[in-house]
Amino acid sequence: MNIQEYHAKALLAQYGVTVSKGVAVQSENEFDQALSQFPDDDIIVVKSQILAGGRGKGVFKNGFQGGVKLTRSKREAKRVAEKMLGNTLVTPQTGPAGRKVRTLYFTHAENIAHEYYLAILMDREAAKPVIIASSEGGVDIEEVATNSPEKITKVHVDPTRGLQPYQARQIAFGLGFSGSAFAGMLKSLEGLYQVFWDKDASLVEINPLVLTREGTVVALDAKIGFDDNALFRHPEIAALRDLNEEDEKEVEASKHNLSYISLDGNIACLVNGAGLAMSTMDIIKYFGGEPANFLDVGGGADTEQVTAAFKIILSDPKVKGILVNIFGGIMKCDTIARGIIAAARSVEITVPLVVRLEGTHVELGQELLARSGLSLVSADSLADAAEKIVNLVREDSS
Amino acid sequence: MSVLVNKDTRLLVQGITGNFGGFHAKLSLDYGTTVAAGVTPGKGGQLWRNQVPVFNTVKEAVENEGVNATAIFVPPAFAADSILEAIEAEIPLIVVITEGIPVRDMALVKVALAKSPCRLIGPNCPGVITPEQCRIGIMPGYIHKPGRVGVISRSGTLTYEAVWQLTERGHGQSTCIGIGGDPINGTSHTEAIKLFNDDPETDAIIMIGEIGGSAEEEAAAYIQANVTKPVAAFIAGTTAPPGRRMGHAGAIVSGRSGSAESKIAALRAAGIAVAETPSHIADALLRIYRP
């Protein structure tokens, strides 16, 4: 789960990391009150709050350029804010649909002397947190890693000991810090690591972390993601989840404990198990089709969950065909068959449906489907099923 | 004719009195596995299904029943504690079925594991099975058949798919190891490959990977340098969009790393037969392996 920048900065401030003064607003009538909190001659940055990168280079659907703007006066800040709030911002990471900007963040513009990159994440192969720092901030870190790897410092932290002072010094020296800014950098590192560890973050990324002309180290941007599996012990973080940023179908699926991800194709799939669900998407593509979703109903789904899964799939107008692929292990094929039949009774299935059942109680499952009178096509292997649904969807659309 | 588990395995089940743990412990028992003990704190002294003694602590189970493997079915919030208890008791094989353990907990477990003589399989995995000898985990037993192909996988049902393809074509398995779908796991692809490479009764290997991390690339390099047995592979997630977790906590393409394309390219470059689709996993192996 990711949180908005203004929430991330509030969290960082609690951990002693310096962030620019900022005020978040959700409606136009809050603009004046928010701007009155800055000095009259302050230079203010107006930042769209969406959970996608590339905001500065984004374009609003109303034609306004830039989701992050430096303004020279409060009047200009207000004018820019009016163009942004409530409008849809399209960035390289949002896809063509873009994201509606529901919150703006006014922040004080810093006098930047130098920009750095800093991130903390879990290195899965080393099974330890790793701190990645670079003297080149404000740019794409993967480009730096490819073109000038010598500019990147990596430090692994022993999770039982935490970040040691010598490691923080190693990073600060590596970035070329000295004098009073050096102490500021150590303090920032300590706070950033602590927030990463205490809150079960999966990523803390500050790009850029800046040194101001006044010698202060400031987190100018903040991206924090959390381990979904650990949210149970951080209710204060779970409360920051922004459902507006998520696909409606995905939110609905999560209510039924279904793992669903919406994609751009037109062949829906319903599968048990994450690996098999991914492979089912892959084999649809292999036979020339395009998957409309990833959907794992899990190992112990019941009839209600299967019905909910069908409803979610069918609520997507792009869907022109459905492939059900079940390898019954613990999940019994007759459970799935009953789910399909129940779903077909409560929602009309008007697109071709191919069902491939294998494993526990397969004969009973097939018999139930055959007796139901439902119009569906059976398949006897995954390849057979994928080929059949791709052909049926192609015939329908031609 | 196996790695990790066989007919001499004496299994402990942590969480045996829970619904999930109990259900699968019963299936393991029916499969012929020696379920020697269970642990549920507070239920020590009971007999599970009138035959298996339940203890309050893992230490007691080891001392009284000489268990040499454990299956952990404890809910995610308490799973790391159960793993640490099993490590402390030095149980040689620890298989963690639980899905949803926080990554931070696993990072701490790995530190303890590194200092111990234990091997950890999982978490978030279907378990380990040596056909007709020992079943630890949640896989359907009947799809397996004794034989000489070793199977390693990050996924559950996708493994069953591959195993079923082998069994249907008349080829049995030495052992099947589900290493799990989490970002931090106890045994990597490479370590599992080493086990099969050293096993005189495994003649060929199937490795099933998926997007996320670089474990498959590392295994490819290891195989190229060390393995002469035929190896076939499949990588799930060619069509997965970047930045999204595909069901498994570890199945995510981050920036430019962890994509299916890079894994497939690394495997092919190492001379490994990569199946084009999940329906052709056994066929990919049988093209290069003729027993």
Side-chain angles (χ1 to χ4, degrees):
Chain A
M1 187 194 90
N2 296 320
I3 59 173
Q4 300 288 4
E5 176 197 356
Y6 71 105
H7 287 313
K9 284 190 175 167
L11 188 58
L12 291 180
Q14 284 173 33
Y15 279 80
V17 178
T18 307
V19 296
S20 313
K21 175 187 172 60
V23 184
V25 294
Q26 268 93 21
S27 72
E28 287 199 11
N29 47 30
E30 293 170 70
F31 288 174
D32 289 330
Q33 161 67 19
L35 289 168
S36 73
Q37 296 176 50
F38 294 88
D40 280 338
D41 57 348
D42 207 359
I43 298 178
I44 294 167
V45 185
V46 187
K47 306 183 86 173
S48 302
Q49 300 293 288
I50 58 168
L51 295 177
R55 290 174 298 170
K57 293 180 194 129
V59 179
F60 284 88
K61 286 201 166 167
N62 62 6
F64 190 75
Q65 300 274 332
V68 175
K69 282 282 201 193
L70 185 79
T71 62
R72 296 282 163 191
S73 67
K74 288 189 180 177
R75 192 200 286 171
E76 190 190 351
K78 195 172 165 183
R79 200 169 46 78
V80 164
E82 282 164 358
K83 300 264 194 233
M84 293 183 179
L85 192 66
N87 289 308
T88 300
L89 179 62
V90 180
T91 83
Q93 291 185 22
T94 60
R99 300 275 173 84
K100 189 171 175 184
V101 176
R102 294 164 197 271
T103 302
L104 290 177
Y105 194 38
F106 293 115
T107 68
H108 162 70
E110 304 292 342
N111 265 320
I112 300 170
H114 194 94
E115 297 185 45
Y116 302 90
Y117 173 92
L118 202 127
I120 310 177
L121 63 154
M122 196 63 88
D123 178 336
R124 43 201 284 176
E125 271 72 31
K128 286 175 180 156
V130 60
I131 301 180
I132 299 171
S134 168
S135 54
E136 296 221 347
V139 295
D140 179 359
I141 190 65
E142 294 199 340
E143 260 168 42
V144 181
T146 312
N147 301 329
S148 33
E150 73 285 354
K151 287 183 177 154
I152 291 180
T153 307
K154 277 190 187 185
V155 171
H156 282 93
V157 181
D158 179 332
T160 56
R161 285 186 296 182
L163 180 67
Q164 300 296 301
Y166 78 87
Q167 295 181 304
R169 290 197 299 272
Q170 191 184 329
I171 296 165
F173 282 127
L175 295 177
F177 275 87
S178 61
S180 65
F182 185 84
M185 184 59 189
L186 296 189
K187 186 159 177 281
S188 300
L189 280 167
E190 195 186 313
L192 290 167
Y193 183 79
Q194 214 51 48
V195 79
F196 172 83
W197 186 259
D198 284 1
K199 300 294 184 186
D200 280 283
S202 50
L203 173 72
V204 173
E205 185 181 57
I206 311 299
N207 190 21
L209 180 75
V210 304
L211 174 64
T212 66
R213 296 201 186 281
E214 297 80 25
T216 317
V217 177
V218 180
L220 216 58
D221 197 0
K223 182 177 172 187
I224 309 186
F226 299 89
D227 179 358
D228 292 342
N229 289 339
L231 287 175
F232 71 88
R233 57 188 175 205
H234 305 291
E236 77 292 355
I237 300 292
L240 302 177
R241 182 175 173 191
D242 191 343
L243 292 177
N244 289 321
E245 290 265 349
E246 296 177 31
D247 182 279
E248 262 176 59
K249 297 188 290 296
E250 293 177 16
V251 174
E252 180 62 22
S254 68
K255 289 182 196 156
H256 298 277
N257 274 325
L258 299 164
S259 180
Y260 173 94
I261 291 170
S262 185
L263 301 170
D264 296 329
N266 58 6
I267 299 178
C269 32
L270 187 158
V271 189
N272 66 327
L276 193 59
M278 260 188 279
S279 319
T280 304
M281 289 161 36
D282 297 345
I283 201 169
I284 288 171
K285 177 96 174 178
Y286 177 83
F287 283 107
E290 289 289 340
N293 65 277
F294 166 91
L295 173 56
D296 170 15
V297 297
D302 54 25
T303 306
E304 280 99 301
Q305 278 175 297
V306 175
T307 309
F310 263 97
K311 283 187 179 162
I312 291 163
I313 284 174
L314 291 164
S315 71
D316 181 349
K318 297 192 306 289
V319 170
K320 303 293 178 231
I322 303 172
L323 171 55
V324 174
N325 179 27
I326 299 296
F327 200 106
I330 302 324
M331 157 83 84
K332 297 178 184 73
C333 291
D334 56 309
T335 305
I336 282 289
R338 282 179 231 278
I340 296 172
I341 295 163
R345 285 204 186 111
S346 59
V347 280
E348 198 190 352
I349 300 175
T350 53
V351 295
L353 170 64
V354 173
V355 180
R356 182 267 180 143
L357 298 178
E358 191 60 77
T360 313
H361 292 186
V362 59
E363 291 84 7
L364 179 56
Q366 277 162 349
E367 193 189 316
L368 286 169
L369 288 176
R371 272 194 286 144
S372 71
L374 279 178
S375 140
L376 57 83
V377 178
S378 292
D380 55 19
S381 76
L382 178 48
D384 181 42
E387 207 169 356
K388 278 178 172 158
I389 190 67
V390 170
N391 287 335
L392 285 166
V393 168
R394 193 175 290 146
E395 282 162 24
D396 270 16
S397 60
S398 62
Chain B
M1 200 164 93
S2 61
V3 300
L4 299 175
V5 298
N6 58 31
K7 58 184 176 1
D8 299 322
T9 299
R10 291 180 59 79
L11 181 66
L12 166 68
V13 176
Q14 290 172 257
I16 198 167
T17 57
N19 282 336
F20 189 47
F23 178 76
H24 287 289
K26 168 71 169 56
L27 292 179
S28 286
L29 203 58
D30 294 347
Y31 194 76
T33 310
T34 305
V35 179
V39 162
T40 299
K43 296 199 174 167
Q46 295 183 3
L47 270 185
W48 177 77
R49 300 189 79 85
N50 296 317
Q51 53 181 329
V52 178
V54 177
F55 298 92
N56 284 321
T57 66
V58 172
K59 187 164 177 275
E60 289 171 285
V62 172
E63 284 168 359
N64 288 285
E65 299 299 331
V67 297
N68 55 16
T70 180
I72 296 182
F73 287 93
V74 174
F78 315 104
D81 182 54
S82 295
I83 302 170
L84 291 171
E85 189 182 1
I87 290 174
E88 177 83 29
E90 299 196 347
I91 298 184
L93 179 69
I94 303 168
V95 181
V96 186
I97 307 305
T98 310
E99 175 172 8
I101 302 176
V103 176
R104 191 180 81 180
D105 294 3
M106 282 309 299
L108 292 172
V109 162
K110 285 285 273 194
V111 175
L113 189 69
K115 298 177 195 149
S116 81
C118 311
R119 171 169 295 287
L120 177 73
I121 303 283
N124 188 13
C125 80
V128 182
I129 185 167
T130 292
E132 294 183 6
Q133 294 193 41
C134 178
R135 169 194 185 268
I136 302 180
I138 58 172
M139 67 291 280
Y142 75 93
I143 62 172
H144 302 82
K145 162 188 157 89
R148 305 184 66 88
V149 180
V151 180
I152 306 157
S153 174
R154 278 168 70 183
S155 153
T157 46
L158 184 55
T159 318
Y160 312 159
E161 180 79 40
V163 167
W164 186 239
Q165 288 169 21
L166 283 171
T167 298
E168 269 194 314
R169 287 160 179 74
H171 298 276
Q173 304 85 43
S174 53
T175 300
C176 303
I177 308 174
I179 60 171
D182 275 3
I184 295 181
N185 58 14
T187 296
S188 66
H189 274 303
T190 304
E191 290 166 293
I193 294 273
K194 272 184 211 171
L195 294 174
F196 282 129
N197 197 38
D198 295 342
D199 175 30
E201 294 177 292
T202 297
D203 292 341
I205 303 167
I206 285 179
M207 179 176 105
I208 299 171
E210 63 190 30
I211 53 165
S214 57
E216 290 83 358
E217 286 89 331
E218 282 160 28
Y222 180 84
I223 292 165
Q224 188 167 29
N226 301 289
V227 179
T228 49
K229 295 178 183 181
V231 181
F234 176 71
I235 301 293
T238 309
T239 50
R244 301 298 310 268
R245 268 173 218 286
M246 307 304 284
H248 287 155
I252 180 166
V253 178
S254 317
R256 278 162 225 174
S257 85
S259 74
E261 290 72 19
S262 79
K263 290 173 190 295
I264 292 169
L267 291 164
R268 290 222 165 104
I272 296 159
V274 181
E276 292 275 353
T277 84
S279 252
H280 299 98
I281 299 173
D283 290 340
L285 180 69
L286 295 172
R287 270 200 294 275
I288 53 168
Y289 164 60
R290 289 173 212 285

